[in-house]
């Protein structure tokens, strides 16, 4: 009865380029699982190479959920992701399969694992565009200071460089008249959760990132970004601000050479990986596996099987 009331959920987390996607597929093949992707960029259709979306032929027959949900010019929110992920997880469980939440977007993972109560405020696109233009003109730090004066609790949790989250917080405050932090709470879902984290030394993470960037360029990243623009998707879209896309957009607009754009992708992805690392270090209950010298699969699948047998709890 306890297993029925608290069905199992596996979460596979880690910094970019640690091999989460490949390991998630192997785990699902072994345990009868399905992947619930937690990646804020893979929700967009037609954006495949730059988001490192696993090609269908490389998914090993494992269903992947929460990808290819909206077109690049359609708005998509954290609240939409959370509700969609919960629906998918419940559907997977109802069919007797094991959900594996896998990804590296901290907000998406947090929202599901911690059960955030997210303000259900429809985007005000005109206000959002006005705030984004202001951030571009005067810098995100000015908007962050404004947020600090309106909602210091929210500002303390958002990096001054994270323009997207700052703008959303100011947008919610303007629409509701209330601090966004007062509208947020946590009610963890009733899953029995095992969190497995993948890690590697920083320099190896950087090396893996650089190799992946080179592969993406070889696989046609420039052509993908150009094709999206030719289809009418503006470089100014939120979806096109993602790693790889915004840097190649500058090259296509003549604002950078291709080598400069490629190097900028690497550096900006290094910075993103550092941010991920700061967040993942707070996961006190995760079982961390070092991927630098050995295949993490044997240890990961053993952890999952012992967890399903009730022999492993969610503590490192």
């Amino acid at each position: 009865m306890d297993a029925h009331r608290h069905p199992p959920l596996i979460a596979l987390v880690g910094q970019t380029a640690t091999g989460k996607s490949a390991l998630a597929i192997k785990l699902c093949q072994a345990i009868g699982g399905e992947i619930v992707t937690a990646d804020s960029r893979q929700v967009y259709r037609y954006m495949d190479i730059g988001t490192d979306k696993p090609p269908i032929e490389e998914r090993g027959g494992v269903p992947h959920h929460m990808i290819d949900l909206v077109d690049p010019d359609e708005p998509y929110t954290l609240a939409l992701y959370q509700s969609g992920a919960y629906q998918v997880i419940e559907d997977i469980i109802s069919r007797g399969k094991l959900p594996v939440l896998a990804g590296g977007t901290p907000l998406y993972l947090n929202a599901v694992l911690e059960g955030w109560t997210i303000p259900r405020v429809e985007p005000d696109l005109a206000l959002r565009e006005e705030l984004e233009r202001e951030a571009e003109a005067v810098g995100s730090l000015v908007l962050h200071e404004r947020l600090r004066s309106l909602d210091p609790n929210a500002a303390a949790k958002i990096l001054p460089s994270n323009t997207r989250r700052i703008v959303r917080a100011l947008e919610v405050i303007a629409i509701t008249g209330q601090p966004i932090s007062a509208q947020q709470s946590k009610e963890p879902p009733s899953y029995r959760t095992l969190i497995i984290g993948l890690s590697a030394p920083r320099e190896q993470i950087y090396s893996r990132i650089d190799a992946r960037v080179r592969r993406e360029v070889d696989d046609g990243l420039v052509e993908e970004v150009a094709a999206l623009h030719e289809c009418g998707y503006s470089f100014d879209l939120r979806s096109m601000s993602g790693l790889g896309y915004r840097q190649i957009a500058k090259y296509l607009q003549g604002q950078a050479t291709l080598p400069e754009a490629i190097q900028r992708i690497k550096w900006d992805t290094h910075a993103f990986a550092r941010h991920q690392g700061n967040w993942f270090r707070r996961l006190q209950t995760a079982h961390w596996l070092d991927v630098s010298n050995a295949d993490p699969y044997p240890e990961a699948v053993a952890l999952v099987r012992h967890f399903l047998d009730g022999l492993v709890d969610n503590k490192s």
Side-chain angles (χ1 to χ4, degrees):
M1 289 298 295
D2 184 69
H4 177 73
R5 291 196 307 269
H6 301 288
L9 170 67
I10 308 300
L12 183 60
V13 307
Q15 290 166 277
T16 189
T18 49
K20 296 182 297 295
S21 295
L23 179 57
I25 289 170
K26 291 179 69 175
L27 281 177
C28 285
Q29 289 172 328
I31 61 179
E34 298 186 10
I35 294 173
V36 183
T37 302
D39 188 299
S40 63
R41 298 300 169 178
Q42 292 187 4
V43 301
Y44 296 109
R45 302 184 188 101
Y46 321 126
M47 304 181 77
D48 302 329
I49 298 173
T51 65
D52 202 34
K53 196 179 298 174
I56 292 177
E57 62 272 15
E58 296 180 11
R59 296 178 192 174
V62 174
H64 283 57
H65 305 276
M66 302 307 293
I67 62 174
D68 294 329
L69 302 177
V70 294
D71 289 346
D73 58 354
E74 293 182 79
Y76 194 78
T77 65
L78 179 62
L80 285 173
Y81 174 79
Q82 184 196 50
S83 61
Y86 281 147
Q87 290 174 18
V88 166
I89 289 170
E90 290 300 323
D91 176 64
I92 293 171
I93 292 169
S94 72
R95 293 184 282 104
K97 300 292 186 178
L98 183 64
V100 176
L101 181 69
T105 300
L107 275 178
Y108 280 22
L109 292 163
N110 256 340
V112 173
L113 295 175
E114 297 183 352
W116 288 3
T117 299
I118 303 169
R120 304 286 168 162
V121 178
E122 290 294 323
D124 183 330
L125 298 182
L127 174 59
R128 180 176 293 181
E129 289 176 4
E130 179 184 338
L131 290 168
E132 289 174 343
R133 285 197 299 271
E134 183 180 355
E136 187 172 350
V138 301
S140 61
L141 184 59
V142 173
L143 271 68
H144 191 267
E145 287 300 319
R146 185 183 308 164
L147 176 61
R148 187 185 303 278
S149 68
L150 296 170
D151 189 348
N153 291 330
K157 298 177 181 178
I158 301 175
L159 290 173
S161 59
N162 195 330
T163 304
R164 181 179 62 81
R165 289 190 64 195
I166 296 169
V167 166
R168 177 58 177 167
L170 291 172
E171 180 186 354
V172 170
I173 293 170
I175 294 171
T176 65
Q178 299 177 0
I180 189 173
S181 60
Q183 305 176 57
Q184 296 172 325
S185 61
K186 298 177 183 179
E187 186 176 347
S190 59
Y191 305 124
R192 188 168 62 94
T193 305
L194 171 69
I195 302 176
I196 299 175
L198 302 185
S199 67
R202 176 174 289 184
E203 290 307 314
Q204 188 170 124
I205 293 285
Y206 290 172
S207 178
R208 287 170 172 241
I209 287 170
D210 293 351
R212 189 175 73 186
V213 171
R214 289 192 295 270
R215 171 176 57 78
E216 289 177 350
V217 172
D218 290 343
D219 287 347
L221 176 60
V222 175
E223 291 77 8
E224 179 175 84
V225 179
L228 285 164
H229 191 250
E230 289 169 6
C231 288
Y233 296 115
S234 170
F235 291 137
D236 295 328
L237 288 171
R238 182 177 298 269
S239 60
M240 296 286 269
S241 69
L243 289 167
Y245 293 91
R246 68 173 179 265
Q247 294 88 355
I248 295 300
K250 289 188 179 298
Y251 160 65
L252 293 173
Q253 294 174 97
Q255 299 174 11
T257 66
L258 183 55
E260 288 171 342
I262 292 171
Q263 185 60 58
R264 177 50 60 187
I265 297 172
K266 294 177 181 179
W267 284 338
D268 289 350
T269 309
H270 295 175
F272 174 63
R274 291 195 297 272
H275 168 66
Q276 288 177 304
N278 292 336
W279 182 81
F280 288 131
R281 274 192 286 274
R282 299 186 308 218
L283 288 176
Q284 300 294 323
T285 59
H287 294 261
W288 287 100
L289 308 180
D290 189 336
V291 303
S292 59
N293 294 313
D295 181 358
Y297 172 74
E299 189 172 354
V301 76
L303 277 170
V304 172
R305 286 176 170 152
H306 289 159
F307 172 73
L308 296 176
D309 290 338
L311 303 176
V312 173
D313 63 11
N314 192 28
K315 293 181 180 178
S316 56

